[in-house]
Each structure stands twice: as C-alpha cells, then as structure tokens.
Amino acid sequence: MPQPFDRTWKLTAAAAAGLLLGALLGWLAGDLATGLAVAGVVETVLLLSLIRHETRHMMPQTPPISPLQHDRFMTRSRRIASSLRDLRSAAGSLPDAVVLLDNEQHVRWFNHAAEDLLGLRRPQDRGAILEERLGTTELAGWLRDGAHEPLNDVVAPGHPNRHINVTLLPFGRRQRLLLARDISHLTRLEQIRRDFVANVSHELRTPLTVIHGYLELIDPEDIPELAPVIGEMRAQSKRMGQIVEDLLTLSRLETQDHVTDERVPMTPLLATIRKEAEALSQGRHHIAVESTADADLLGSPKDLHSALSNLVSNAVRYTPTGGSIVIRWRRTPEGAAYSVTDTGFGIPATHLARLTERFYRVSSSRSRDSGGTGLGLSIVKHVLNLHQARLDIQSETGKGSTFTCLFGHERLLKPGTDEV
Ligand code: ADP
C-alpha cells in the first residue's frame, strides 16, 4: 500500500525525471527554451500518468489518515496541480509547434502553435494519426519515410506563407515528440541576402568590364617602367571579374529549384575536361581518364560541365609539378560516380566539413596564388544538389585528395538510348 510519504517522493522523482528527459530532448532539439518547454510537457505527462496510477490504488484502499496528514497531502496535491497547469499553459503558448505522439503514433496532445503551423484542430485531431491528418504534404511524406533526419525549410501545412524546420524526437516506450519551428523570418532574411549579393555582383560587372577593357588597351611596351604594375592590375581585374561571375552563378543556382533535364553525353564531356586540364597544367602533371560507366547524365549540360571541370581545375591547382591526376567515371551500386583523384597537397581533416562554404579556403595565399575565387566548391555543391547528387571528399595531407560526385540511377541514361 503506497504511503503519502512514498507518493510525494514518487511524484518528486517523476517531476525530476520529466525535467531531465525533457531538457535532454530539448537539448537534442537545439535550444534551451524549447528544452524547458519540452521538459514541461514530458513532466506533465509523467506526473499525470503517475497520479492516475496512484489514485487508482488509493481511492478504494487508503486507510483513514489523520487530519494533519490529510491537510498536508491536499496542500501538496494543490501545489502539484497548479504546477501542472502552469507547465501545460507554458508549453501551450510556446511559439514552436509541439505534438506528442503515443506509441501507436496517434496525436496525444498539441499546443496552440501546432494548430497554427500544422493546421491541427481541437478536439477532433486528438487521437488522429498525424501522418494521415497531414494528407499529401511534404511533412506527411517525411513522417511516412521514417523521419530519420530533421526536415528543413518546408511549407507549414497550416499556413502556406510560412516555412518550418521539423524534428521528431523519440522518448519513453516508442512515443515521439514532433517539434516544428517557424523559420519564415530567417527565410526572408536569406532572400534579402541573396538579392543583395546578386544586385551588388550585377552592378559591379559593368564597371569591371570597362576597367578590364582599358587595361587591355594599354601596351606595357610603351611604358616599360610600369609594365609590372600593368601586369598586376590586369591579373587583379581578371580575378575580380571571375569572383563577380562566380557570385552571379551561385545566385542563379540558389534561386533555381530544378534543372532542365537534357542528355549530357559523357564521352565528349570527359574529353573536353581533359583538354581543359591539360591546358591549365601546361605539361606539369600526368593526367589520365578512366571511363567505364557506359552512361550519360541527365541534367543541365552547362552546370554539370562547370561543376565537373571545377574539380579537375582544383586538382591541377593544388597538385605540385610532377604529380598525377586521374578522372574516373564508373558505375556504383547506387548509380554512377565521377571522381577526381590527385597526388597533391591534400587537406587536413578539420577543414573537410567546411570546404563547400563560400570563400572557405584551407590556405588563402595558396588559393589566391593559384587564381582561385574561393567559390568553386560551393558552386559544385549547388549544382550537385540540383541533380539530387552529392559530393564526397577524401583527403590526406601531403598525399592527395579524391573528390567524388555521386549520381543516382534516375540521373543516368544509356548512351544512344533513353534507357537507364
Ligand atoms: P578556390 O577557388 O580557393 O580553389 P574552392 O571552393 O574551389 O575555392 O576550394 C576551396 C578550398 O578547398 C581551396 O581554397 C583549397 O584550399 C581546397 N581545395 C579544393 N580542392 C583541393 C584539392 N584538390 N587539393 C587540395 N585542396 C583543395
């Protein structure tokens, strides 16, 4: 028979466990405010379950207790009930949508933000299967596919003008907690940033072309004392022009959500890339092509050429004289892989995760000296994303690097036919 004293401890322990579990889930979700609110929700659920369990035994069987014990018990119960109300209303008024799913994935509880962002309605959606309730939205598809990774930047099912990030966190016995955060203001800021970069680049393009044109007109032989200065000015204006072009390419790729699906014949493309690499290398490297995939690509010829040749140009620029570069096009179980392996400087492991960020360089001076803009790999990543492909980078300092573009079966065509 549980004594009131035991119960108090159990309730306290449940509250503490709820707080800890919630804080952990919140921490996994990424911020303290969510952590505390989630702690409230989880704590509420644990406490309510415990109280229900306790009172079930208590009602018929509790022996008479003294008036003093009764008063104490009632005071504690009121305090707990009031804490529960506070926690519930705190979780209820969170700006993030919170949906608690039971072990059969039915909606058990949700807050006001979930009504607004996900379009859930009270009381009819209590007990509904969330996936079915969300119909054919991207969010429903994500839940159906297991929701293994967080889902970023999708349209909120309850609000077509808002964008959300969604995470699904497991807890307890197969229960799950869905958290959705309104990121519309971030999306707007991101749009402003994109427009700004695109506009600035566009505005810089014309004056740079004019400066570059005039510099080309000056013959250094007419003013030999200024010849080195003119050479440097030409090189720098060319570099600025290249940065502007790369920024404009990135802006275009960022605003696109799909590419034209054209056949990209790989045999001629590999031959062109090889020629470009040889021109850049000027005989300083051994360059080889191994093509065994017997497949063409489906996508944007211009963007794919730019991405695939960018990797080769990096290999040439970051491999000392005498090194070798191998370009491979081969089949893989998931589709096909285009890879560029060099015996160059290599990249320390700590830099690998950030290489595709704009202007991220392992060594600024080496990049500048080799004529880099710091935007090449960022462009490669965007082009691959638009082709549902991904970039894998393996590298060892002092030994060399392999950059691999992995394409799925849906992006492959048999040369000369429409078959995959
Ligand atoms: P950049 O124009 O500077 O080459 P990228 O975006 O193409 O810019 O590459 C980013 C950085 O990644 C480079 O500055 C360089 O430090 C590193 N990097 C890229 N490719 C290679 C490579 N094949 N070997 C060694 N380092 C590389």
Side-chain angles (χ1 to χ4, degrees):
M1 171 79 49
Q3 297 301 309
F5 183 71
D6 290 346
R7 272 182 221 118
T8 310
W9 276 107
K10 279 187 189 172
L11 288 171
T12 312
L19 269 171
L20 275 174
L21 181 56
L24 181 68
L25 289 171
W27 175 71
L28 286 172
D31 87 36
L32 185 65
T34 310
L36 290 175
V38 171
V41 176
V42 175
E43 187 181 23
T44 306
V45 173
L46 279 177
L47 282 172
L48 283 175
S49 313
L50 193 67
I51 286 171
R52 200 184 299 153
H53 179 77
E54 288 293 309
T55 47
R56 206 178 50 212
H57 291 286
M58 210 172 89
M59 289 317 209
Q61 295 166 18
T62 309
I65 54 171
S66 74
L68 184 65
Q69 279 177 317
H70 177 265
D71 284 354
R72 272 200 206 141
F73 184 68
M74 288 312 287
T75 311
R76 272 187 209 125
S77 300
R78 270 195 292 275
R79 219 178 287 147
I80 289 169
S82 144
S83 303
L84 289 179
R85 268 195 305 277
D86 290 350
L87 286 167
R88 217 182 167 119
S89 84
S93 54
L94 257 185
D96 292 347
V98 182
V99 184
L100 213 62
L101 300 168
D102 68 13
N103 51 3
E104 279 165 347
Q105 313 312 320
H106 293 112
V107 174
R108 185 165 171 180
W109 179 88
F110 53 91
N111 65 354
H112 295 304
E115 292 180 54
D116 190 29
L117 292 175
L118 306 180
L120 296 183
R121 293 287 164 263
R122 257 172 252 272
Q124 62 268 38
D125 285 334
R126 282 230 176 98
I129 294 181
L130 185 61
E131 198 176 294
E132 289 175 6
R133 176 62 189 73
L134 294 172
T136 55
T137 57
E138 206 174 334
L139 191 54
W142 173 75
L143 284 169
R144 250 189 300 281
D145 294 343
H148 302 297
E149 295 287 324
L151 181 66
N152 290 329
D153 200 357
V154 282
V155 173
H159 229 294
N161 297 331
R162 303 235 186 119
H163 285 241
I164 50 173
N165 279 355
V166 197
T167 320
L168 194 66
L169 303 166
F171 79 97
R173 265 179 282 139
R174 296 189 56 236
Q175 281 139 299
R176 296 196 287 176
L177 191 74
L178 182 132
L179 298 173
R181 167 159 302 173
D182 186 350
I183 52 147
S184 311
H185 62 294
L186 291 179
T187 322
R188 253 192 315 278
L189 282 177
E190 181 65 8
Q191 186 60 45
I192 293 170
R193 181 194 65 76
R194 272 186 214 155
D195 291 349
F196 176 75
V197 173
N199 291 338
V200 169
S201 314
H202 197 76
E203 292 300 326
L204 284 175
R205 198 187 218 171
T206 314
L208 273 173
T209 313
V210 173
I211 293 172
H212 195 67
Y214 280 129
L215 283 171
E216 287 298 318
L217 284 179
I218 302 172
D219 187 350
E221 283 182 11
D222 294 344
I223 26 177
E225 67 280 17
L226 286 183
V229 178
I230 294 167
E232 183 61 18
M233 283 163 76
R234 277 184 184 169
Q236 292 301 336
S237 85
K238 195 168 161 213
R239 206 170 99 78
M240 276 165 74
Q242 192 52 54
I243 291 176
V244 166
E245 289 309 317
D246 281 0
L247 281 172
L248 284 169
T249 305
L250 262 180
S251 297
R252 176 179 59 78
L253 292 170
E254 272 181 338
T255 46
Q256 255 175 266
D257 57 4
H258 68 281
V259 281
T260 51
D261 281 348
E262 287 175 52
R263 176 188 288 275
V264 184
M266 284 304 279
T267 307
L269 180 58
L270 290 170
T272 309
I273 289 174
R274 181 193 194 137
K275 262 191 220 137
E276 288 168 354
E278 278 164 353
L280 190 65
S281 161
Q282 301 273 317
R284 289 178 294 122
H285 307 95
H286 177 257
I287 298 169
V289 176
E290 291 174 13
S291 175
T292 55
D294 190 28
D296 289 341
L297 275 172
L298 190 64
S300 156
K302 184 169 157 249
D303 292 336
L304 283 171
H305 179 186
S306 147
L308 304 188
S309 70
N310 207 302
L311 297 179
V312 182
S313 115
N314 276 355
V316 172
R317 292 187 296 116
Y318 298 111
T319 301
T321 302
S324 63
I325 293 158
V326 184
I327 303 160
R328 290 190 180 86
W329 175 231
R330 63 190 161 84
R331 292 267 180 176
T332 63
E334 291 79 30
Y338 167 91
S339 64
V340 181
T341 302
D342 64 53
T343 56
F345 302 117
I347 303 155
T350 46
H351 294 279
L352 291 181
R354 300 194 55 194
L355 275 194
T356 55
E357 289 174 21
R358 285 148 201 258
F359 296 116
Y360 190 86
R361 290 142 164 152
V362 177
S363 153
S364 300
S365 56
R366 193 177 277 167
S367 162
R368 221 179 5 257
D369 294 348
S370 68
T373 61
L375 295 167
L377 289 180
S378 195
I379 292 177
V380 172
K381 189 182 91 176
H382 276 84
V383 170
L384 293 186
N385 281 348
L386 284 170
H387 290 82
Q388 299 77 45
R390 64 184 179 84
L391 181 66
D392 176 75
I393 309 172
Q394 302 291 329
S395 191
E396 213 178 313
T397 323
K399 291 206 165 159
S401 318
T402 297
F403 287 74
T404 308
C405 307
L406 297 152
F407 294 92
H409 289 293
E410 69 286 355
R411 285 278 160 203
L412 305 180
L413 289 175
K414 262 218 170 292
T417 72
D418 282 341
E419 283 169 42
V420 175

